Amino acid sequence: MPKETPMVNAADVIDLPLLNRGKVREMFFLRSWLDHLLLVATDRISAFDEVLPDPIVSKGEVLTKMSNFWFWFFRDECANHLTTVDVRTYPTECKPFLDVLRDRSMIVRKHRVIPFECIVRGRLSGSFYSAFKKAEVIRQQTESPLCNKMCKNVHGFLLPADMQESEAFPEPIFTPSTKAEKGAHDENISFEIMSELLLAWMVKDHVFYQGGNEALAEDMRELCLRLYSKAYAYALERGIVIADTKFELGLTDDGRLVLVDEVLTPDSSRFWPADRVVPGKTPPSFDKQPVRDWLKAHWLDRTQPPPRLPEQIIEETSVRYAQIYHLLTS
């Protein structure tokens, strides 16, 4: 790591039945392990809900290894879908492709995936900061620990009107979003709206959860906040601030929450060097922020296909992915 040739499309080199191609990962059917799936992380990178034309060398390896680390880290907190990343244990049908599967794939157990992004934020940043800037200032007397008197209401959260970018919330907040269909954009929603939409999903897909949609929403929030807080403390000991992250959850056959997809990777999180965080400024980051920043300056018309990334941005992003992996797992 890194390898010279990036993997753009896993299905081009892995001759197994392709079930789904996401923005970054590809999912394959396993004939011999019917209750499992093969997930392969490519080197594709997405930003602003679009897959970019240029891959990031070895990115898929970092995503896989970091997720594997966090699944282990959270092993006493929550069940997860990971069965193995050891290619020596893969079924026979995978044997011809072990060289490309090594370090960038995992075999996972099938679960019913809950159709929401579970975002936890410890700092005012990203799309939440953009929404904060646009929100109107209101005067309101409230008992909220986040705000009193001069506030802004951002997706159901009353925040101090004078909060600055990168400033820490008094306590982490859970800010879910919808999972957009291909070609659409994720939409930030309030906790209450997520709970209502959970009910519709549970009825439509015949999903049972003890206590119903309200209990499921509360348990999702509690679990994600607990996982974030544990990871935040661990990272801070290593000089890293996790500004925000996205969890994805599923349900086991007996109705228990389970952690799925990726966990606390540079694709799903903002990692900042703790000694460079200054309220009012955007800190340097160990994630794909260089890509986001370049696109903001050079991709003004988002209705057009995204442009090619400069080699400098590609290399800088690849280095940052590798750096955060070693900082957090060494």
Side-chain angles (χ1 to χ4, degrees), residues 11-191:
D12 291 345
V13 291
I14 299 171
D15 187 19
L16 294 172
L18 179 67
L19 286 182
N20 182 62
R21 172 171 287 157
K23 293 174 183 174
V24 174
R25 286 168 185 76
E26 297 180 20
M27 182 186 301
F28 296 88
F29 174 77
L30 295 173
R31 297 182 181 89
S32 54
W33 292 15
L34 294 180
D35 58 345
H36 286 76
L37 299 168
L38 173 68
L39 293 185
V40 181
T42 71
D43 294 325
R44 297 193 298 265
I45 189 167
S46 68
F48 304 111
D49 295 317
E50 292 283 349
V51 176
L52 306 184
D54 297 288
I56 305 299
V57 176
S58 294
K59 174 175 171 287
E61 295 178 44
V62 171
L63 299 185
T64 302
K65 290 179 177 180
M66 285 194 74
S67 288
N68 185 36
F69 168 79
W70 291 112
F71 282 137
W72 172 85
F73 183 81
F74 291 135
R75 66 194 182 282
D76 295 330
E77 303 288 338
C78 178
N80 64 70
H81 70 166
L82 179 62
T83 294
T84 181
V85 295
D86 184 353
V87 296
R88 294 171 299 179
T89 66
Y90 282 17
T92 302
E93 62 204 285
C94 296
K95 299 302 182 185
F97 318 110
L98 294 189
D99 285 346
V100 293
L101 291 175
R102 185 174 289 106
D103 295 332
R104 64 165 66 245
S105 69
M106 57 177 65
I107 292 181
V108 302
R109 187 172 294 277
K110 291 180 182 177
H111 293 294
R112 189 190 298 267
V113 178
I114 300 173
F116 295 93
E117 308 279 11
C118 297
I119 303 167
V120 180
R121 303 178 188 275
R123 299 274 177 160
L124 183 59
S125 183
S127 63
F128 207 77
Y129 176 58
S130 298
F132 175 85
K133 289 190 294 183
K134 296 175 183 176
E136 293 184 3
V137 177
I138 57 176
R139 182 180 294 276
Q140 183 169 341
Q141 189 72 27
T142 172
E143 295 180 358
S144 167
L146 297 177
C147 177
N148 192 19
K149 294 186 179 179
M150 301 303 292
C151 307
K152 288 187 174 186
N153 188 326
V154 185
H155 302 303
F157 287 94
L158 289 175
L159 304 175
D162 60 352
M163 277 196 76
Q164 300 181 68
E165 182 184 12
S166 307
E167 188 175 345
F169 298 113
E171 55 192 27
I173 60 176
F174 178 79
T175 65
S177 76
T178 59
K179 272 187 174 181
E181 297 294 329
K182 188 173 182 180
H185 298 285
D186 295 344
E187 178 183 352
N188 291 318
I189 56 177
S190 68
F191 177 79

